Amino acid sequence: MLTAGAVPSEYCKQINKAMEIGFKTSLFDRHVLLNVAAFRSKVSNLQQFQFIPAATLQTINPIAKSNIKGIEFDSTIKLDPVTLFIAAGLTDAKIKSFPSDPTVHGNWVPNVPEYTINLGAQYDAELSDTLRGTLRVDYQRLGPQWFDI
């Protein structure tokens, strides 16, 4: 519902038409696990939180149409007692329609990083007959991303 000088307090439902294709495999007697996927989402009314400081306004401002596509992979390598983890993803996420401001057509969809990288290692040890210990380290890198339309 919209009143004069106000922002909508109701908005249309978000619809995501998505598809994904990929594969999962294990190699070397399950010591190497590998997953790869490519995806595409066409989203209507992507619900985007927006804060407008000049008006001290918090609102949901739907992006009419956006396309998000990408590829990702992850792998686990077991080298007892050490396990290594690696994952990465590339994303292309663009605004296709935003009627309240057509100048943002082609801008990046907010809160979606261009790429992600995750690395990790884990060491498992038997400390006694009844006690196990695990030491793990993880690293994550998120690529550039926007937080506003």
Side-chain angles (χ1 to χ4, degrees):
M1 182 169 300
L2 189 62
T3 60
V7 295
S9 59
E10 297 177 6
Y11 38 88
C12 297
K13 66 181 174 181
Q14 178 176 305
I15 298 172
N16 184 4
K17 294 179 181 176
M19 66 176 167
E20 180 176 343
I21 188 167
F23 69 89
K24 296 180 177 213
T25 189
S26 63
L27 306 165
F28 308 111
D29 198 27
R30 298 193 49 86
H31 286 283
V32 176
L33 305 176
L34 178 64
N35 305 310
V36 177
F39 59 89
R40 180 179 189 108
S41 293
K42 292 184 176 188
V43 187
S44 299
N45 300 312
L46 179 63
Q47 297 170 7
Q48 171 62 39
F49 172 80
Q50 193 167 14
F51 175 64
I52 303 168
T56 62
L57 178 67
Q58 298 179 55
T59 186
I60 299 294
N61 200 352
I63 299 170
K65 295 189 184 307
S66 59
N67 289 344
I68 303 168
K69 59 186 174 183
I71 187 165
E72 57 192 10
F73 88 94
D74 69 87
S75 183
T76 302
I77 303 164
K78 299 176 184 177
L79 307 167
D80 289 330
V82 174
T83 303
L84 304 173
F85 309 95
I86 183 169
L90 290 172
T91 306
D92 181 29
K94 299 289 175 63
I95 295 171
K96 293 299 178 188
S97 175
F98 190 68
S100 61
D101 184 358
T103 65
V104 302
H105 177 87
N107 283 4
W108 202 264
V109 173
N111 303 309
V112 179
E114 289 182 33
Y115 65 86
T116 59
I117 299 170
N118 298 283
L119 303 170
Q122 180 171 304
Y123 177 78
D124 295 302
E126 301 250 356
L127 302 175
S128 72
D129 291 341
T130 59
L131 188 62
R132 290 183 50 91
T134 298
L135 177 64
R136 183 176 172 117
V137 63
D138 287 293
Y139 169 82
Q140 181 182 49
R141 167 80 182 186
L142 298 177
Q145 61 184 311
W146 296 94
F147 296 100
D148 195 6
I149 295 169

